[in-house]
Amino acid sequence: DFTETVMVTNPFTTHETLSAAKEAANIPLSLPENLSSQGEIVYRAANSETLNLIEVICTGEEGEIRIRKGISDEDISGVYTEYAVETEYCGDDLSFTVRGDGKKDYLAIWSADDFRYSIYAEQGMDSAALQEWVYAVK
């Protein structure tokens, strides 16, 4: 009896600073100013034929928050949860989709300037706070 095990390599490299991760991914990224107050921050980059993105993971009292920016034709969030409420925001400068449970928002996704973006809050966020972050991430 033979069982074949296939190992999937982790496409991400972890970096000490945002600038190192931006260089590794070859993607520019601006973050919300109040991000450092969220707790511990990890910067990761993926730069391969199949995945090109930068990810910032903040872990603190509010759970984990993941900010991603990448080059893709598809959703880069990595979040496959079905949420009860989906809201489309359409503005002059930016249009984005927010998903949540009616009380908190968990995921924001959008496209701008040839990039895809996502913000995922594991414990959910106040809608106004999440929208503020969407406008701050570039």
Side-chain angles (χ1 to χ4, degrees):
D1 207 12
F2 178 73
T3 304
E4 184 177 344
T5 303
V6 177
M7 299 296 286
V8 177
T9 58
N10 182 346
F12 288 100
T13 54
T14 302
H15 300 273
E16 294 289 321
T17 63
L18 176 59
S19 59
K22 291 192 296 191
E23 187 176 323
N26 197 25
I27 294 176
L29 178 65
S30 298
L31 296 169
E33 286 182 19
N34 63 344
L35 188 68
S36 60
S37 67
Q38 299 301 312
E40 184 182 332
I41 299 176
V42 175
Y43 304 100
R44 301 193 329 162
N47 193 346
S48 69
E49 289 179 23
T50 56
L51 185 64
N52 185 211
L53 65 82
I54 186 168
E55 176 178 63
V56 179
I57 306 168
C58 311
T59 307
E61 291 178 15
E62 300 297 314
E64 189 175 274
I65 299 172
R66 290 178 181 260
I67 298 171
R68 287 182 168 185
K69 178 179 181 179
I71 301 169
S72 178
D73 294 333
E74 300 170 16
D75 176 0
I76 62 165
S77 70
V79 177
Y80 305 104
T81 304
E82 294 286 328
Y83 291 102
V85 179
E86 181 171 295
T87 308
E88 301 279 339
Y89 293 90
C90 299
D92 293 338
D93 299 333
L94 189 64
S95 296
F96 54 97
T97 301
V98 173
R99 296 181 183 143
D101 63 7
K103 295 184 176 108
K104 289 184 175 181
D105 289 335
Y106 292 85
L107 178 65
I109 55 173
W110 70 100
S111 298
D113 302 321
D114 299 326
F115 291 101
R116 293 265 182 169
Y117 298 81
S118 70
I119 301 174
Y120 171 65
E122 179 183 50
Q123 303 295 321
M125 285 178 84
D126 172 73
S127 183
L130 182 57
Q131 289 178 48
E132 187 178 306
W133 278 34
V134 166
Y135 283 102
V137 173
K138 296 198 179 338

